[in-house]
Amino acid sequence: SRILNTLMAFTQDKAPAGGYPEIQWARRLPKRGPSGLMTMLGGVAVMSLGFGVVIHTNKERRRLRKEQLNARLALLPLIQAEEDRRTLRAIKSFEAEEAEIMKDVPGWKVGESVYNTDKWVPPNPAQLKY
């Protein structure tokens, strides 16, 4: 057995010269993406741009609404005149029908107001036949 021991050179495991390298136990990930400050600045820039677009759109919408209102105000006298002519035509038709129906009633005045006033009282639209 001595001969066997001398033939087999016995070597013990030991640390390499200079020691083992240090074990990295901390999590060291590479830096990914923009920093928090850059993200915040980007968000503020996008929101500012969005608010600018909203303000511009609101101004344009307000301008168009004002233009439409002015157009309606310009057409209002024409529309009112047409409505007045239609009302007068209906009143004349109504008075002609009233004269035909009430021709046998003595003392009946066709077209006389039923209201106790001298002011113009517009007729009820439900009574007029357009």
Side-chain angles (χ1 to χ4, degrees):
S1 100
R2 272 186 178 191
I3 298 173
L4 192 59
N5 281 344
T6 50
L7 289 176
M8 291 177 55
F10 180 74
T11 57
Q12 182 179 354
D13 275 344
K14 58 180 177 178
Y20 289 108
E22 186 178 326
I23 298 174
Q24 291 186 1
W25 57 272
R27 195 168 178 204
R28 296 189 183 148
L29 298 174
K31 185 176 179 184
R32 298 178 66 181
S35 67
L37 178 64
M38 292 307 292
T39 304
M40 290 293 287
L41 290 177
V44 168
V46 167
M47 286 180 61
S48 298
L49 181 66
F51 280 125
V53 168
V54 167
I55 290 169
H56 175 72
T57 304
N58 285 344
K59 285 181 181 178
E60 181 68 17
R61 189 178 299 141
R62 208 174 302 127
R63 185 189 65 78
L64 289 173
R65 194 178 305 140
K66 187 175 181 180
E67 180 180 340
Q68 187 176 21
L69 178 65
N70 286 337
R72 286 181 181 178
L73 288 176
L75 290 175
L76 191 61
L78 177 66
I79 295 170
Q80 185 64 49
E82 287 178 0
E83 184 64 26
D84 291 346
R85 282 193 294 272
R86 192 177 306 128
T87 301
L88 285 175
R89 198 175 308 121
I91 288 174
K92 285 183 182 181
S93 170
F94 182 72
E95 287 177 354
E97 186 178 344
E98 181 184 358
E100 180 64 30
I101 293 172
M102 302 301 284
K103 66 182 174 186
D104 297 330
V105 177
W108 183 264
K109 296 179 185 174
V110 176
E112 185 176 0
S113 177
V114 294
Y115 300 105
N116 190 18
T117 182
D118 293 333
K119 293 182 180 180
W120 163 254
V121 178
N124 186 351
Q127 295 173 337
L128 299 177
K129 299 174 191 170
Y130 287 119

